[in-house]
Amino acid sequence: MKRLLLQKILLPSDERLQIHWGLFYRAPRLSLSADCKRLYIPSGVSVDFATYLNGFSIQKWSLYSDLKNVTLNITAKGHFLLKAVGYHLNPVMPDRVEFSSTEYNFSEDSQIALSFPDDTKEQLFSFEIIPFSDCEVSNGAFYADFEDSSVRGIRLCLATTTMKKEEFIKKNVRLLKEALLSETSEIRDNFFVHVVDNGRTLQKEEIEGFHVTLHPNKNVGGSGGFARGMIESMHQTPEATHVLLMDDDVLVLPESIRRTYALLTVLKTEWQDAFISGAMLEMEAKFIQHEALAILSDKCLFSSVQPISDQNLLENVIRNNIEISNQSFVYGAWWYCCIPITKIKENGLPLPLFIRGDDAEYGLRAKAKCIAMSGLCIWHMGFANKYNAFMDLYQVFRNLLIVSSITEELSVLAQAKKLRAMFYKELREYAYNGAELLCLALEHYLKGPAFLEEDKGEAILKEYGRLNEKLIPISSYDLNEPLHLLFTNPGLSLPRRILYRLTINFQRFCPFSFTKKEIANVIFGGKEFSGRQYRCRKILAVNEFNYTGILRKQNRKVFHSLMRRFSNDWKRFNKKYKKLAKEYSAKREWLTSEEFWKDYLGI
């Protein structure tokens, strides 16, 4: 039998996480030592470690591996009760089970081993400290036993793509060097980092070191950067067994990577080809889990496997342990996704989509099962605050037309209908730039797969990024109501709804004099506020997160020009889409081959 360290107990060492101590322990905020490795617990303050980052997901570990004899080893000082506990949902709220309770009284730091049962229905293991005097705890970790034959040798590569985000990437690389590539790291010899620099702004001396390599790259977007990282991982010496794709502009805990490595070494045979997906928690509200796994349905609709949830709540932490029974259309986003090299050799490299949709297409293509677990995560800026019309309209809709043409399970016609519905929504909101971007998305799709073979991603971004609206502080506008009322949406009667849609918010079939002079206030890039903007000549679109906005005005000349343009594009699509789908599908193997990508990247 081999005894392996699976999960270290974390304390909030990153200053950005210290005000979110509920992700680490449940208690009033406690003091830490200067190096943030020791927790001080005053007498009378009980501490529970059943949290997002420190609870042990026994249900998931038992599903993915054959572990036995789970124990917690911890260093403690003082007079206290130490309890081993477990939790399960019954049916939606937590039930607590106490396995053991032992009293200790140490005048100096002392080691304790706390055992947990093998046969249990509990979903989460944890521990509690009830102090009778001032106490200190440090160096906690969960261990378990495995049969020698079930432990595999792993060589894990982290591939991160960056584009002129020097401070993010330098800080993350420095963190990885200190925590995972130092002399004391147990994974040091089998962990490698490939930094793909699409902006070519980094210097080797700023990045490189033991097992850390910098690769200056063309600006080929996220898909091209990750393709380069995959190629470098496959051809390094020694060859990697897994590549972990991770965004550059994230807050990551090295412990998430170390836990990923530990899990890879002991996966059961039926899970060894699975992707391991790290959850995204929101940078702005660090206790909110935005997504762990996602679904791209056969109707080309994106959704999260689990709803957005507050991970300060114990029931949500336990709920993360529930495995989904049907993994069809499920994928892991590439802000943190670990892929076996065998799956890359079997399925090829990403499609050259520049950015957006490449991770969903790859997940559906590989048809791999996906693993997610509390504590495997990054923090990323929330998407609502990052709305970018070029990315969210042109890139997303163009790429999903391509993906749905290539992927048999998806419907290209359903995706095109989504694009058409969004086009009319943009027109109803006088977002003429957004409507133009959707026309471009359809037109570039109609160029066929040869368009993808040309390295035009950066040029397209520069040319059409100008269509992003320039928002200014809404204090610059004369608002006619309080801010909190901007985001209400009065309803429309059925006749008015019909009229609103038929006339595309009174831009056709009626004189301009029929519109109202007042300004409507709506949320920028969000849901449609039909009741607010009904018949209004002007619309103030507001970003509710940073209180910026733009004043749009009805322009019938531009409106009719876009209507004619889209009508022609739609006719061409209806004539060509079945043939185009076959052409895109026939080209996928070439567009995802190493030969294509080496030529595309110039390596």
Side-chain angles (χ1 to χ4, degrees):
M1 299 287 284
K2 285 189 176 180
R3 188 145 189 82
L4 299 180
L5 189 161
L6 303 183
Q7 177 177 315
K8 293 182 180 179
I9 300 302
L10 289 173
L11 297 175
S13 56
D14 191 294
E15 61 183 12
R16 292 167 290 182
L17 292 172
Q18 287 179 0
I19 62 169
H20 300 287
W21 67 90
L23 295 171
F24 299 84
Y25 60 85
R26 299 180 191 281
R29 187 174 181 179
L30 303 175
S31 297
L32 296 169
S33 59
D35 62 4
C36 298
K37 294 181 179 179
R38 181 178 293 264
L39 186 68
Y40 299 113
I41 306 174
S43 176
V45 177
S46 298
V47 185
D48 180 4
F49 288 86
T51 60
Y52 182 78
L53 292 173
N54 283 326
F56 185 80
S57 301
I58 182 60
Q59 187 176 47
K60 287 284 182 95
W61 276 101
S62 298
L63 175 65
Y64 303 140
S65 71
D66 290 314
L67 79 171
K68 298 177 182 177
N69 303 324
V70 175
T71 61
L72 171 76
N73 288 11
I74 193 166
T75 301
K77 174 184 176 182
H79 185 195
F80 57 90
L81 273 180
L82 180 63
K83 296 188 176 186
V85 297
Y87 292 94
H88 64 273
L89 291 180
N90 183 26
V92 294
M93 294 303 293
D95 261 7
R96 174 184 175 277
V97 175
E98 187 173 305
F99 301 124
S100 66
S101 179
T102 308
E103 184 175 344
Y104 297 95
N105 193 352
F106 300 123
S107 58
E108 302 292 338
D109 281 348
S110 302
Q111 295 281 336
I112 304 171
L114 188 67
S115 297
F116 292 82
D118 283 336
D119 297 321
T120 178
K121 67 174 184 178
E122 305 313 308
Q123 296 170 293
L124 191 76
F125 282 166
S126 183
F127 65 101
E128 299 170 359
I129 295 177
I130 296 89
F132 303 126
S133 69
D134 292 351
C135 298
E136 301 174 17
V137 294
S138 60
N139 300 323
F142 283 97
Y143 291 79
D145 292 336
F146 298 87
E147 296 289 344
D148 290 359
S149 59
S150 69
V151 181
R152 299 187 299 155
I154 297 296
R155 291 179 296 279
L156 176 63
C157 282
L158 183 143
T160 182
T161 301
T162 186
M163 175 64 185
K164 297 182 179 178
K165 293 178 180 173
E166 294 86 355
E167 292 313 307
F168 267 106
I169 197 69
K170 285 192 282 188
K171 184 170 184 176
N172 283 340
V173 169
R174 184 166 60 250
L175 195 64
L176 296 175
K177 286 179 178 178
E178 293 171 357
L180 301 179
L181 291 170
S182 66
E183 294 288 346
T184 58
S185 169
E186 65 273 20
I187 74 170
R188 178 179 191 265
D189 293 336
N190 295 307
F191 179 62
F192 306 80
V193 179
H194 294 286
V195 178
V196 180
D197 180 17
N198 282 356
R200 299 190 178 217
T201 57
L202 297 170
Q203 304 300 316
K204 283 195 172 186
E205 57 269 20
E206 297 176 305
I207 298 296
E208 293 197 334
F210 177 77
H211 284 187
V212 181
T213 311
L214 176 67
H215 305 281
N217 205 45
K218 295 165 66 176
N219 184 16
V220 284
S223 59
F226 286 133
R228 178 71 183 271
M230 290 176 176
I231 291 170
E232 298 294 345
S233 299
M234 286 192 291
H235 292 288
Q236 71 171 38
T237 302
E239 180 182 342
T241 60
H242 296 78
V243 57
L244 172 58
L245 308 180
M246 189 178 79
D247 272 350
D248 57 343
D249 55 345
V250 300
L251 166 59
V252 62
L253 297 173
E255 173 64 10
S256 287
I257 298 173
R258 208 202 56 73
R259 291 180 189 181
T260 300
Y261 179 90
L263 181 58
L264 289 171
T265 63
V266 295
L267 286 175
K268 292 178 182 176
T269 303
E270 60 265 33
W271 288 98
Q272 288 177 5
D273 284 336
F275 291 8
I276 298 179
S277 175
M280 173 193 150
L281 283 80
E282 297 184 1
M283 192 77 81
E284 306 91 329
K286 294 183 174 61
F287 52 89
I288 298 297
Q289 181 174 278
H290 180 86
E291 179 181 295
L293 291 171
I295 295 172
L296 176 58
S297 75
D298 55 351
K299 301 300 182 185
C300 295
L301 296 173
F302 283 104
S303 61
S304 178
V305 169
Q306 290 187 352
I308 294 174
S309 57
D310 180 350
Q311 292 302 315
N312 280 328
L313 301 178
L314 179 56
E315 57 265 33
N316 288 335
V317 174
I318 301 172
R319 194 167 284 113
N320 284 333
N321 286 278
I322 299 173
E323 186 70 19
I324 55 173
S325 56
N326 182 3
Q327 292 217 1
S328 300
F329 303 104
V330 172
Y331 71 94
W334 284 359
W335 47 62
Y336 186 109
C337 184
C338 184
I339 303 174
I341 292 293
T342 54
K343 297 297 283 186
I344 297 174
K345 291 180 176 180
E346 177 186 333
N347 295 283
L349 297 165
L351 277 174
L353 298 176
F354 193 73
I355 192 170
R356 300 293 170 88
D358 44 357
D359 48 6
E361 186 278 331
Y362 198 88
L364 269 59
R365 187 199 326 166
K367 294 181 173 62
K369 292 189 288 188
C370 291
I371 290 171
M373 189 185 296
S374 291
L376 303 183
C377 63
I378 52 88
W379 283 264
H380 199 294
M381 193 69 73
F383 296 117
N385 198 30
K386 291 177 65 177
Y387 181 80
N388 178 305
F390 174 80
M391 295 295 180
D392 296 334
L393 296 178
Y394 172 81
Q395 285 290 153
V396 168
F397 281 90
R398 186 205 71 173
N399 291 352
L400 282 181
L401 283 171
I402 295 167
V403 169
S404 55
S405 297
I406 285 175
T407 308
E408 292 179 359
E409 294 87 350
L410 303 182
S411 166
V412 65
L413 186 57
Q415 175 57 25
K417 288 179 177 178
K418 279 178 56 188
L419 184 150
R420 182 177 62 181
M422 182 60 75
F423 173 79
Y424 287 122
K425 175 183 180 291
E426 293 292 295
L427 287 183
R428 290 192 294 269
E429 297 178 350
Y430 313 150
Y432 301 120
N433 285 8
E436 182 179 350
L437 285 167
L438 289 165
C439 287
L440 284 165
L442 189 55
E443 290 159 5
H444 288 177
Y445 165 78
L446 291 169
K447 290 177 180 287
F451 183 72
L452 279 185
E453 295 185 68
E454 302 176 33
D455 177 17
K456 291 185 175 181
E458 185 175 23
I460 290 170
L461 173 60
K462 288 180 178 178
E463 182 175 359
Y464 299 114
R466 62 180 170 77
L467 293 174
N468 283 326
E469 293 175 307
K470 304 297 187 294
L471 307 187
I472 63 175
I474 57 174
S475 57
S476 306
Y477 298 107
D478 184 17
L479 298 178
N480 54 15
E481 58 186 324
L483 283 179
H484 70 278
L485 295 178
L486 292 180
F487 313 130
T488 58
N489 185 29
L492 286 176
S493 64
L494 179 59
R496 287 192 168 197
R497 286 203 304 273
I498 293 172
L499 194 58
Y500 169 75
R501 287 182 170 268
L502 184 65
T503 63
I504 310 182
N505 200 7
F506 301 90
Q507 295 179 88
R508 63 176 180 177
F509 307 144
C510 61
F512 184 68
S513 58
F514 190 66
T515 56
K516 297 185 294 186
K517 293 183 179 180
E518 60 258 35
I519 299 174
N521 304 313
V522 302
I523 293 180
F524 179 85
K527 63 182 180 181
E528 185 168 5
F529 283 63
S530 54
R532 276 193 161 271
Q533 59 200 29
Y534 181 79
R535 284 180 56 201
C536 289
R537 294 179 186 179
K538 299 178 182 179
I539 294 173
L540 177 60
V542 176
N543 184 325
E544 62 179 322
F545 293 94
N546 59 15
Y547 295 117
T548 58
I550 184 168
L551 185 65
R552 302 170 180 159
K553 301 177 182 179
Q554 188 182 114
N555 186 324
R556 296 195 175 198
K557 182 179 179 181
V558 174
F559 166 79
H560 287 297
S561 173
L562 286 167
M563 285 288 287
R564 288 191 296 271
R565 179 176 176 179
F566 187 77
S567 177
N568 291 330
D569 291 342
W570 191 254
K571 288 175 184 176
R572 289 171 57 213
F573 170 80
N574 276 320
K575 288 180 181 179
K576 295 179 64 176
Y577 80 88
K578 291 182 180 178
K579 180 184 176 184
L580 276 173
K582 292 179 181 178
E583 291 176 2
Y584 276 108
S585 184
K587 277 282 188 177
R588 181 171 75 176
E589 187 173 348
W590 163 244
L591 290 169
T592 60
S593 68
E594 189 172 333
E595 181 184 357
F596 164 79
W597 270 108
K598 283 186 172 180
D599 180 66
Y600 191 84
L601 295 170
I603 58 173

